[in-house]
Amino acid sequence: MSRSPGWADLDPDAPDTEDARGAVFGMHPTPGLIAYDLQGGGSDGEPLSLVVGNEGPGEGYEGLPGFDQTWTVTPQKRAEEGGPHEPDSEADDWAPASHYYRYLL
């Protein structure tokens, strides 16, 4: 499985990250995709969702199954380019993303 740390309290039948990505995107093209991960779904009651970071606007992303919200941020450089995050960290992986999309699963 491809889950982030801390997912131990998820239902064993919950999708893993790749299953969730496939359920949302199917064969939809994803140019500029930076990173994606599952969030929520724990005992705090937050719904399980797939969050996707893209380097620019995702064409048709808002029409995909489970679309909930989108937001933009100022992208950052990766550590190897002098960015602010530790190399090989999750924050560094997401740093170049400027457009985020959330899909409820």
Side-chain angles (χ1 to χ4, degrees), residues 18-81:
E18 293 304 317
D19 291 342
R21 183 181 178 277
V24 171
F25 285 91
M27 298 301 292
H28 189 85
T30 55
L33 183 66
I34 300 292
Y36 53 94
D37 201 4
L38 290 174
Q39 293 185 354
S43 58
D44 64 359
E46 186 178 341
L48 182 63
S49 62
L50 177 73
V51 175
V52 176
N54 219 53
E55 70 180 353
E59 185 69 35
Y61 279 24
E62 290 158 347
L64 294 173
F67 174 75
D68 180 52
Q69 65 178 328
T70 185
W71 64 97
T72 58
V73 300
T74 302
Q76 298 176 329
K77 293 180 181 178
R78 293 208 177 193
E80 64 193 26
E81 302 165 334

